[in-house]
Amino acid sequence: MSRPLESLNPLAGAVLAVLKAARELHVEITKAKLAKLLYLADLDAIESGRTQFSGATWRWDDHGPYDHALIRAEDWVVESELVERRDTRSTEDGSHALSLTVDIEDSLDSAYMECVRNVVRLHGGKNAIDLKDLSYETAPMVEAWAGGERGALLDLNRARRRKQAGVLRERFRSRRGDRPPQEDDPGVGDALRAEFLETRDGLRRANAKMMDDQ
């Protein structure tokens, strides 16, 4: 039975957004690819200064970032009669393909749809293995991998902090070349040497007394 878009939960709405972008760009989306594309779109939103939009609780699963709530969201959109699911287990991805049955309006606001379209445009044509490898290169997955604990909750905000650090590093590098050469204050070296010579005898006596006390 068909459901209006307003009744879909946030994760189901995010799934529909990926499938709409895929329809526009003529990209096939499988179950194996869907999770990775949604995860990358969430990261894209965060790196752009927004918040995560999918509603997924991303954890390190056997094949990268995943939320088992995606199973319910997928069933939801299929039951809405807006999405069809085809068995493609004989193909390279060994999964099911998901596609819209009809064209729909954007299920997210324009800013988040832009993130989804950007990710699908860049990565939608990749296979599931390439997307898995790509996800493992992201900051949250690098951190989880370093911790070695499968099932660990992924800190997506780490991607934003890493990007901010990269921006600051590049800003420093670009400005370093414009800075005038640093010069020593004339006479400072001579003054320090004179001060050391004045205190040298006192330091020698103090060291000798300390050694005798021991």
Side-chain angles (χ1 to χ4, degrees):
M1 181 177 180
S2 179
R3 295 188 177 100
L5 294 184
E6 293 79 7
S7 70
L8 299 177
N9 62 37
L11 189 49
V15 169
L16 287 176
V18 171
L19 296 180
K20 178 174 173 60
R23 180 186 178 97
E24 295 169 350
L25 297 167
H26 308 289
V27 172
E28 182 175 74
I29 301 297
T30 64
K31 293 178 63 173
K33 294 170 57 173
L34 176 62
K36 308 303 184 297
L37 292 172
L38 267 180
Y39 167 76
L40 292 172
D42 267 343
L43 282 184
D44 187 78
I46 288 174
E47 290 178 351
S48 301
R50 304 181 179 94
T51 58
Q52 177 185 345
F53 64 88
S54 74
T57 302
W58 297 109
R59 295 181 181 275
W60 176 21
D61 197 73
D62 289 341
H63 302 289
Y66 193 69
D67 181 356
H68 288 278
L70 270 170
I71 297 173
R72 296 190 296 275
E74 181 189 319
D75 288 341
W76 193 314
V77 296
V78 170
E79 292 168 4
S80 75
E81 299 179 1
L82 296 173
V83 173
E84 67 173 356
R85 183 166 42 201
R86 295 178 289 103
D87 189 346
T88 59
R89 283 174 290 185
S90 61
T91 65
E92 179 182 5
D93 284 335
S95 184
H96 290 80
L98 301 167
S99 60
L100 291 175
T101 57
V102 294
D103 194 15
I104 61 172
E105 297 179 357
D106 288 355
S107 56
L108 304 173
D109 67 36
S110 58
Y112 290 123
M113 282 301 304
E114 179 183 354
C115 292
V116 171
R117 287 187 172 102
N118 181 54
V119 166
V120 174
R121 183 181 302 109
L122 290 175
H123 307 299
K126 294 180 171 68
N127 60 40
I129 295 175
D130 289 341
L131 285 174
K132 175 187 174 182
D133 292 343
L134 180 62
S135 73
Y136 269 83
E137 295 172 4
T138 61
M141 281 297 299
V142 168
E143 180 184 36
W145 176 267
E149 183 181 354
R150 289 187 183 274
L153 186 67
L154 301 182
D155 179 10
L156 269 65
N157 287 316
R158 178 168 288 277
R160 176 183 295 159
R161 294 193 294 271
R162 190 180 201 181
K163 182 176 182 180
Q164 290 171 341
V167 170
L168 290 174
R169 186 167 55 249
E170 290 304 317
R171 184 180 302 167
F172 172 77
R173 287 174 177 171
S174 65
R175 292 180 177 177
R176 183 170 56 184
D178 298 331
R179 295 173 61 188
Q182 302 297 306
E183 298 180 357
D184 292 337
D185 189 357
V188 168
D190 293 338
L192 289 173
R193 184 164 50 254
E195 182 179 347
F196 171 75
L197 292 174
E198 289 176 3
T199 61
R200 181 174 57 182
D201 291 341
L203 289 172
R204 183 183 297 116
R205 288 193 297 271
N207 289 335
K209 185 177 185 305
M210 182 180 67
M211 295 301 294
D212 290 341
D213 291 343
Q214 293 179 349

